Amino acid sequence: LSTAESELAELVEAMTAGESVASIVDELIGPVQRGAFTDPQAAVSIINTDGGSRRTRHLRTRASYARQSVLSGFWAIQHILGAVMVADIGTKPLTSTRLDCLKDLMI
């Protein structure tokens, strides 16, 4: 899979899981803004833009749920630099230096 395709699939999965948690949070404290962060700008672009090349058309179809949620204002999707992506701790093999840097960002 391309990076954009795999990150897009994970973004849609995160939004689906986030909806489950948000339902409980909404009941406990009231409506909250739902948001997700991703590193590759291609995934953000696929969700936020209407056009694109024929090569990414199948990704747009796959991400239609995410696109509808973003356009309706229920979800906000933002690009975050890979250098500060704390989620890499659980998803990638890291050097001890990189691990220490990301752990410091968690504080």
Side-chain angles (χ1 to χ4, degrees), residues 2-54:
S2 71
T3 302
E5 186 172 0
S6 60
E7 289 287 340
L8 183 63
E10 288 303 314
L11 196 54
V12 171
E13 286 293 318
M15 290 173 73
T16 304
E19 277 301 320
S20 301
V21 174
S23 297
I24 296 168
V25 173
D26 286 348
E27 271 194 44
L28 293 175
I29 63 171
V32 295
Q33 174 63 44
R34 291 142 171 84
F37 299 98
T38 187
D39 181 12
Q41 289 181 325
V44 175
S45 177
I46 289 168
I47 290 177
N48 287 332
T49 60
D50 195 22
S53 70
R54 292 185 58 84

Side-chain angles (χ1 to χ4, degrees), residues 33-102:
Q33 174 63 44
R34 291 142 171 84
F37 299 98
T38 187
D39 181 12
Q41 289 181 325
V44 175
S45 177
I46 289 168
I47 290 177
N48 287 332
T49 60
D50 195 22
S53 70
R54 292 185 58 84
R55 288 182 16 217
T56 59
R57 189 175 70 198
H58 72 287
L59 298 178
R60 288 182 206 294
T61 303
R62 188 173 190 182
S64 62
Y65 160 75
R67 182 168 167 69
Q68 277 183 319
S69 297
V70 169
L71 291 176
S72 66
F74 289 120
W75 276 86
I77 305 296
Q78 288 186 313
H79 172 260
I80 188 169
L81 294 175
V84 293
M85 179 61 82
V86 178
D88 284 353
I89 288 177
T91 60
K92 297 178 181 176
L94 303 170
T95 63
S96 61
T97 307
R98 175 94 170 111
L99 182 62
D100 290 340
C101 176
L102 292 176

